[in-house]
Amino acid sequence: MNHVTLTTNEINPLPRVETKRIRPVGNWKKWIAVLSLCIICLTYLVPSLMTTAGSAWIDDSRLQALKDSSSGYIPIEEMPEHLWKAFVAIEDHRFMQHGGVDPAALARAVWIDLQEGAYVQGGSTITMQLARNLFLTQDKTMWRKMKEMAIAMELERRYTKQEILEMYLNVIYFGHGQYGIGNAAQFYFGKGNSQAIDTLTVGESAILASLPKAPEAYSPVKHSEKAMARQNLVLERMTELKILSQQEKEKALAEKIQVRQP
């Protein structure tokens, strides 16, 4: 029997096929996909259902108690115009245009969440923040977000933009145990009553507007450098939106802010 010997060069091995490991889709991606679909459907297809549901979740006694409270409730007409405009500029610059839910802000929040791989932005409007602070918990769940949107749409149906903004400013948290713009203005600057709040400067107003995002992190009492950086961002945003001129912005930045020490 003849034997044939093959050299290494004569052998043609099968090409090695590299297989890519398929990673399972994380729960957060499924959550975001479901949330996106719900946002589209509930915002555009069934607004009447949303407002009906929102009405059921609104506790009218809470709204009445807020306005009847003696804990420093400040009507918006007693506030300087630059104060509430600072909040609109940094928190929800399309506040005057949307109906409680801002699809563009929600879409941006979903995109950022996808990029980060976690729930880092909620896309809440001022009206949605009011709904959450008055009637809901701070849990980051899809169900809470749905309720937040429904209540916001109903609040927009019941109240004017001015009334919603006034309630929002009087209910949000400003750090150091201070809720509401009157208590915050008093705590930080000694200008919390109806007469003194009108004397808040543009710079002081920008500091107050910077707090709702992270009250303790941007506290001018605890973290003055972070507070000033955030104030600069608020003033820059107000300038971009033509609320302030460049000269007014520079004047605000040059202010000598006197923060009260607790």
Short mmCIF file of all heavy atoms in Angstrom, two decimals, residues 47-76:
data_model
loop_
_atom_site.label_atom_id
_atom_site.label_comp_id
_atom_site.label_asym_id
_atom_site.label_seq_id
_atom_site.Cartn_x
_atom_site.Cartn_y
_atom_site.Cartn_z
N PRO A 47 -55.65 61.69 24.53
CA PRO A 47 -55.52 62.75 25.53
C PRO A 47 -56.73 62.84 26.46
O PRO A 47 -56.58 63.18 27.64
CB PRO A 47 -55.37 64.01 24.68
CG PRO A 47 -55.95 63.67 23.35
CD PRO A 47 -55.65 62.22 23.16
N SER A 48 -57.91 62.55 25.93
CA SER A 48 -59.10 62.62 26.78
C SER A 48 -59.05 61.57 27.88
O SER A 48 -59.45 61.82 29.03
CB SER A 48 -60.36 62.42 25.93
OG SER A 48 -60.34 61.17 25.28
N LEU A 49 -58.53 60.38 27.55
CA LEU A 49 -58.39 59.33 28.55
C LEU A 49 -57.38 59.75 29.61
O LEU A 49 -57.56 59.49 30.81
CB LEU A 49 -57.94 58.03 27.88
CG LEU A 49 -57.70 56.83 28.81
CD1 LEU A 49 -58.98 56.46 29.54
CD2 LEU A 49 -57.18 55.64 28.01
N MET A 50 -56.32 60.41 29.19
CA MET A 50 -55.29 60.86 30.11
C MET A 50 -55.84 61.87 31.11
O MET A 50 -55.60 61.79 32.31
CB MET A 50 -54.12 61.47 29.34
CG MET A 50 -53.28 60.46 28.58
SD MET A 50 -52.22 59.48 29.66
CE MET A 50 -50.87 60.63 29.93
N THR A 51 -56.59 62.85 30.61
CA THR A 51 -57.12 63.88 31.51
C THR A 51 -58.17 63.29 32.45
O THR A 51 -58.27 63.71 33.60
CB THR A 51 -57.73 65.04 30.70
OG1 THR A 51 -58.69 64.53 29.76
CG2 THR A 51 -56.66 65.79 29.94
N THR A 52 -58.94 62.33 31.97
CA THR A 52 -59.92 61.67 32.84
C THR A 52 -59.22 60.93 33.97
O THR A 52 -59.61 61.03 35.14
CB THR A 52 -60.78 60.68 32.04
OG1 THR A 52 -61.47 61.39 31.01
CG2 THR A 52 -61.79 59.99 32.94
N ALA A 53 -58.18 60.20 33.62
CA ALA A 53 -57.41 59.48 34.63
C ALA A 53 -56.72 60.46 35.57
O ALA A 53 -56.69 60.26 36.79
CB ALA A 53 -56.37 58.58 33.96
N GLY A 54 -56.18 61.53 35.01
CA GLY A 54 -55.51 62.53 35.83
C GLY A 54 -56.44 63.16 36.84
O GLY A 54 -56.05 63.41 37.99
N SER A 55 -57.67 63.41 36.43
CA SER A 55 -58.65 63.99 37.34
C SER A 55 -58.91 63.08 38.54
O SER A 55 -59.07 63.55 39.66
CB SER A 55 -59.96 64.24 36.58
OG SER A 55 -60.92 64.83 37.43
N ALA A 56 -58.92 61.78 38.29
CA ALA A 56 -59.16 60.82 39.37
C ALA A 56 -58.01 60.79 40.36
O ALA A 56 -58.20 60.47 41.54
CB ALA A 56 -59.38 59.43 38.78
N TRP A 57 -56.80 61.13 39.90
CA TRP A 57 -55.62 61.06 40.76
C TRP A 57 -55.32 62.39 41.45
O TRP A 57 -54.39 62.46 42.27
CB TRP A 57 -54.40 60.62 39.95
CG TRP A 57 -54.44 59.18 39.56
CD1 TRP A 57 -54.84 58.13 40.32
CD2 TRP A 57 -54.04 58.62 38.29
NE1 TRP A 57 -54.72 56.96 39.62
CE2 TRP A 57 -54.23 57.22 38.37
CE3 TRP A 57 -53.54 59.15 37.10
CZ2 TRP A 57 -53.95 56.36 37.32
CZ3 TRP A 57 -53.25 58.30 36.05
CH2 TRP A 57 -53.46 56.92 36.15
N ILE A 58 -56.06 63.42 41.14
CA ILE A 58 -55.84 64.73 41.76
C ILE A 58 -56.64 64.83 43.05
O ILE A 58 -57.84 64.58 43.08
CB ILE A 58 -56.23 65.87 40.80
CG1 ILE A 58 -55.21 65.98 39.66
CG2 ILE A 58 -56.31 67.20 41.55
CD1 ILE A 58 -55.56 67.03 38.62
N ASP A 59 -55.96 65.19 44.11
CA ASP A 59 -56.60 65.41 45.40
C ASP A 59 -56.84 66.91 45.54
O ASP A 59 -55.91 67.67 45.82
CB ASP A 59 -55.70 64.89 46.53
CG ASP A 59 -56.35 65.02 47.90
OD1 ASP A 59 -57.42 65.64 48.01
OD2 ASP A 59 -55.77 64.49 48.87
N ASP A 60 -58.08 67.32 45.32
CA ASP A 60 -58.39 68.75 45.35
C ASP A 60 -58.11 69.38 46.71
O ASP A 60 -57.80 70.57 46.80
CB ASP A 60 -59.85 68.98 44.97
CG ASP A 60 -60.13 68.63 43.51
OD1 ASP A 60 -59.58 69.32 42.63
OD2 ASP A 60 -60.86 67.66 43.26
N SER A 61 -58.21 68.60 47.76
CA SER A 61 -57.95 69.15 49.09
C SER A 61 -56.49 69.55 49.24
O SER A 61 -56.16 70.51 49.95
CB SER A 61 -58.32 68.12 50.17
OG SER A 61 -57.52 66.96 50.07
N ARG A 62 -55.60 68.82 48.56
CA ARG A 62 -54.18 69.18 48.60
C ARG A 62 -53.94 70.53 47.93
O ARG A 62 -53.14 71.34 48.41
CB ARG A 62 -53.34 68.10 47.91
CG ARG A 62 -53.32 66.75 48.59
CD ARG A 62 -52.51 66.77 49.87
NE ARG A 62 -51.12 67.17 49.66
CZ ARG A 62 -50.16 66.34 49.30
NH1 ARG A 62 -50.43 65.07 49.08
NH2 ARG A 62 -48.92 66.77 49.16
N LEU A 63 -54.61 70.75 46.81
CA LEU A 63 -54.47 72.03 46.11
C LEU A 63 -55.00 73.18 46.96
O LEU A 63 -54.39 74.25 47.04
CB LEU A 63 -55.21 71.97 44.78
CG LEU A 63 -54.62 71.05 43.70
CD1 LEU A 63 -55.58 70.91 42.53
CD2 LEU A 63 -53.28 71.57 43.22
N GLN A 64 -56.14 72.95 47.59
CA GLN A 64 -56.73 74.00 48.42
C GLN A 64 -55.87 74.27 49.64
O GLN A 64 -55.65 75.43 50.02
CB GLN A 64 -58.14 73.58 48.87
CG GLN A 64 -58.93 74.69 49.53
CD GLN A 64 -59.14 75.89 48.62
OE1 GLN A 64 -59.42 75.74 47.43
NE2 GLN A 64 -59.00 77.09 49.17
N ALA A 65 -55.33 73.21 50.24
CA ALA A 65 -54.49 73.38 51.42
C ALA A 65 -53.21 74.13 51.07
O ALA A 65 -52.71 74.91 51.88
CB ALA A 65 -54.14 72.01 52.00
N LEU A 66 -52.70 73.92 49.86
CA LEU A 66 -51.48 74.62 49.44
C LEU A 66 -51.71 76.12 49.42
O LEU A 66 -50.89 76.89 49.94
CB LEU A 66 -51.06 74.13 48.06
CG LEU A 66 -49.90 74.88 47.39
CD1 LEU A 66 -48.62 74.68 48.19
CD2 LEU A 66 -49.71 74.40 45.96
N LYS A 67 -52.83 76.54 48.85
CA LYS A 67 -53.10 77.98 48.74
C LYS A 67 -53.53 78.60 50.05
O LYS A 67 -53.32 79.79 50.29
CB LYS A 67 -54.16 78.21 47.66
CG LYS A 67 -53.68 77.87 46.26
CD LYS A 67 -54.70 78.28 45.21
CE LYS A 67 -54.16 78.03 43.82
NZ LYS A 67 -55.09 78.49 42.76
N ASP A 68 -54.16 77.79 50.91
CA ASP A 68 -54.61 78.31 52.19
C ASP A 68 -53.53 78.27 53.26
O ASP A 68 -53.72 78.73 54.36
CB ASP A 68 -55.82 77.51 52.68
CG ASP A 68 -57.06 77.77 51.82
OD1 ASP A 68 -57.04 78.75 51.05
OD2 ASP A 68 -58.02 76.98 51.91
N SER A 69 -52.40 77.67 52.92
CA SER A 69 -51.34 77.49 53.90
C SER A 69 -50.79 78.84 54.37
O SER A 69 -50.68 79.79 53.60
CB SER A 69 -50.21 76.64 53.30
OG SER A 69 -49.13 76.59 54.20
N SER A 70 -50.44 78.88 55.63
CA SER A 70 -49.84 80.11 56.19
C SER A 70 -48.33 80.00 56.25
O SER A 70 -47.67 80.76 56.95
CB SER A 70 -50.40 80.34 57.61
OG SER A 70 -50.10 79.24 58.44
N SER A 71 -47.77 79.00 55.53
CA SER A 71 -46.32 78.77 55.61
C SER A 71 -45.55 79.52 54.53
O SER A 71 -44.58 79.03 53.99
CB SER A 71 -46.05 77.27 55.49
OG SER A 71 -46.53 76.77 54.26
N GLY A 72 -46.01 80.71 54.19
CA GLY A 72 -45.24 81.55 53.28
C GLY A 72 -45.60 81.44 51.82
O GLY A 72 -44.75 81.63 50.96
N TYR A 73 -46.87 81.16 51.52
CA TYR A 73 -47.31 81.09 50.12
C TYR A 73 -47.24 82.49 49.51
O TYR A 73 -47.77 83.46 50.04
CB TYR A 73 -48.74 80.56 50.04
CG TYR A 73 -49.20 80.24 48.63
CD1 TYR A 73 -49.05 78.97 48.10
CD2 TYR A 73 -49.78 81.21 47.83
CE1 TYR A 73 -49.45 78.66 46.82
CE2 TYR A 73 -50.19 80.92 46.53
CZ TYR A 73 -50.03 79.64 46.04
OH TYR A 73 -50.44 79.34 44.76
N ILE A 74 -46.55 82.59 48.36
CA ILE A 74 -46.33 83.89 47.71
C ILE A 74 -47.05 83.91 46.36
O ILE A 74 -46.74 83.09 45.48
CB ILE A 74 -44.84 84.16 47.48
CG1 ILE A 74 -44.05 84.05 48.79
CG2 ILE A 74 -44.64 85.52 46.83
CD1 ILE A 74 -44.34 85.13 49.79
N PRO A 75 -48.02 84.80 46.15
CA PRO A 75 -48.65 84.93 44.83
C PRO A 75 -47.62 85.36 43.79
O PRO A 75 -46.70 86.12 44.10
CB PRO A 75 -49.71 86.01 45.06
CG PRO A 75 -49.94 86.03 46.54
CD PRO A 75 -48.61 85.69 47.16
N ILE A 76 -47.79 84.90 42.57
CA ILE A 76 -46.79 85.16 41.55
C ILE A 76 -46.70 86.64 41.19
O ILE A 76 -45.63 87.13 40.81
CB ILE A 76 -47.07 84.31 40.29
CG1 ILE A 76 -45.83 84.25 39.40
CG2 ILE A 76 -48.30 84.82 39.53
CD1 ILE A 76 -45.91 83.21 38.31
#
